[in-house]
Amino acid sequence: MDTPTAKAAWNANYGVVSSGDRRLAFSRQLSSNSATPRLARSDSSIAMPMPIPIPPPYQGPKPSKKLLRLATASRPMRRLALLLALNVAYSATELAIGLFTGRVGLVSDAFHLTFGCGLLTFSLFAMAASRTKPDNLYTYGYKRLEVLAAFTNAVFLLFLSFSLAVEALHAFMQDESEHKHYLIVSAVTNLLVNLLGVWFFRSYARVNIVYRNAEDMNYHSVCLHVLADSIRRIENAEVLCLGIVSVAVFMLVLPLFKATGNILLQIAPGNVPPSAFAKCSRQIIACEDVSEVWQGRFWELVPGQAVGSLSIRVKSGADDRAVLEYAHGLYQDLGIQDLTVQTES
């Protein structure tokens, strides 16, 4: 029999005895056939305290979707967001000082800068929205938003070059120069901000740039926009300098304007000569199972992604699978990644 001391120590370790929870226990018993003790399993009524579930450690609030998007944003997006925030802060400060002091020049310059910030905001929105996957409404995705943003910036820059030319002509006819020191300080301050933006997108500050995708068009337009606005900050420029700046902005922006306009107008891919499409059509018609090829339409969705559609009339009873594979192979060699072929018999 157990002594009271041992029983008390056992109760201290395992708790009180109760019939509410039945557990399996092991006891040593002597075997009738062996001198060594053996283990026998029996049902016991030892009450064990139920384990208390430990909650998982607190990991803080889950990040919102906006924070996740900001964290996964590309470096050009973050840089453009920083540049936009600096321009908005400067524009608001300039507008407040102009209204407080009654200087019309500062107010006018603040509104001009605000309009430019609106275009840069559209470019930033296009960068973020172009990452959205295609859906039932926009089956090709949102990549063309960047092309549209680049085209909008190009139109604004062409208008800016025209306004610089008019200003140069007006200065030449008037032959006057008004030195306003507060405008000079404003121009220099904003010039430093815009030069920071030019440094952010310095890899796109080239005349002849190859647009490998829609992002290249949008980044190039942002760089040209900031560069032209930086030049525009230089007040009291000579007539000749204004004329040179006007021509330089026009020559820099014109290739971007033509490239984005061609994509929005869905012209044939520029890297494929029209004779190559005609040759492919002749090769398909030369097949013995094909009687006619028509309605061949090819265009660039975004730079580097060419799509097209084609209608082929096959002869009665012919297997169109071989014709489809042959047509897809021909146009894929030309760089048409997405081709829709309709066959009729």
Side-chain angles (χ1 to χ4, degrees):
M1 294 181 63
D2 296 331
T3 61
T5 306
K7 186 174 182 180
W10 186 89
N11 284 339
N13 292 331
Y14 296 95
V16 296
V17 176
S18 173
S19 61
D21 186 18
R22 305 186 67 83
R23 305 278 177 155
L24 293 177
F26 290 90
S27 61
R28 288 188 179 272
Q29 297 179 354
L30 292 177
S31 174
S32 59
N33 300 328
S34 176
T36 59
R38 62 181 176 84
L39 291 176
R41 190 173 63 178
S42 62
D43 203 5
S44 174
S45 60
I46 300 174
M48 299 291 291
M50 295 297 294
I52 301 175
I54 302 176
Y58 179 70
Q59 299 179 353
K62 295 182 178 180
S64 62
K65 293 183 177 179
K66 293 183 178 180
L67 291 178
L68 289 176
R69 290 180 181 177
L70 184 60
T72 58
S74 61
R75 178 177 293 181
M77 287 180 60
R78 294 194 294 268
R79 287 181 171 181
L80 181 57
L82 175 61
L83 176 64
L84 187 60
L86 292 175
N87 275 279
V88 169
Y90 176 81
S91 176
T93 304
E94 188 178 34
L95 179 62
I97 294 175
L99 292 176
F100 182 75
T101 59
R103 300 186 182 276
V104 181
L106 290 178
V107 175
S108 175
D109 189 71
F111 276 107
H112 168 78
L113 185 58
T114 302
F115 182 75
C117 290
L119 292 177
L120 294 180
T121 302
F122 181 54
S123 294
L124 181 62
F125 167 75
M127 291 180 188
S130 64
R131 301 159 64 115
T132 307
K133 296 181 179 180
D135 51 29
N136 295 331
L137 184 60
Y138 296 94
T139 55
Y140 279 109
Y142 297 81
K143 280 289 185 181
R144 271 205 172 179
L145 270 176
E146 297 216 67
V147 180
L148 182 61
F151 179 78
T152 306
N153 271 313
V155 172
F156 172 76
L157 293 175
L158 288 177
F159 174 77
L160 178 61
S161 67
F162 177 75
S163 66
L164 287 175
V166 172
E167 186 176 349
L169 181 61
H170 178 73
F172 177 76
M173 305 223 14
Q174 294 292 329
D175 196 20
E176 294 179 355
S177 59
E178 298 181 0
H179 300 278
K180 299 179 179 179
H181 300 288
Y182 61 91
L183 285 179
I184 295 177
V185 174
S186 171
V188 171
T189 306
N190 188 241
L191 178 62
L192 295 177
V193 174
N194 285 326
L195 287 179
L196 178 64
V198 174
W199 183 79
F200 282 165
F201 297 91
R202 60 188 181 278
S203 59
Y204 296 92
R206 300 194 301 270
V207 178
N208 296 324
I209 183 172
V210 178
Y211 302 114
R212 293 168 296 181
N213 46 50
E215 287 86 352
D216 288 343
M217 282 187 167
N218 199 13
Y219 299 160
H220 189 205
S221 70
V222 170
C223 179
L224 293 179
H225 180 102
V226 177
L227 180 62
D229 195 61
S230 301
I231 298 173
R232 181 66 178 85
R233 298 298 94 202
I234 304 175
E235 306 288 342
N236 303 319
E238 297 294 335
V239 176
L240 181 59
C241 184
L242 282 176
I244 293 176
V245 168
S246 175
V247 174
V249 171
F250 180 82
M251 297 299 294
L252 287 172
V253 176
L254 189 60
L256 175 66
F257 176 77
K258 292 174 62 178
T260 54
N262 289 340
I263 290 181
L264 293 177
L265 291 175
Q266 295 187 340
I267 69 169
N271 58 343
V272 181
S275 59
F277 292 114
K279 182 179 179 181
C280 288
S281 298
R282 290 194 302 267
Q283 289 177 333
I284 296 175
I285 294 176
C287 297
E288 58 180 2
D289 294 333
V290 178
S291 59
E292 187 182 1
V293 176
W294 79 103
Q295 290 184 351
R297 299 184 177 92
F298 306 95
W299 67 95
E300 276 189 306
L301 180 66
V302 293
Q305 184 177 353
V307 298
S309 62
L310 188 68
S311 296
I312 301 176
R313 180 173 285 115
V314 298
K315 296 178 181 179
S316 178
D319 184 13
D320 60 351
R321 183 174 300 177
V323 176
L324 290 176
E325 292 179 357
Y326 181 66
H328 276 280
L330 287 177
Y331 286 104
Q332 281 182 358
D333 292 340
L334 294 180
I336 309 298
Q337 297 93 349
D338 189 351
L339 178 65
T340 302
V341 179
Q342 179 182 359
T343 59
E344 298 179 5
S345 56

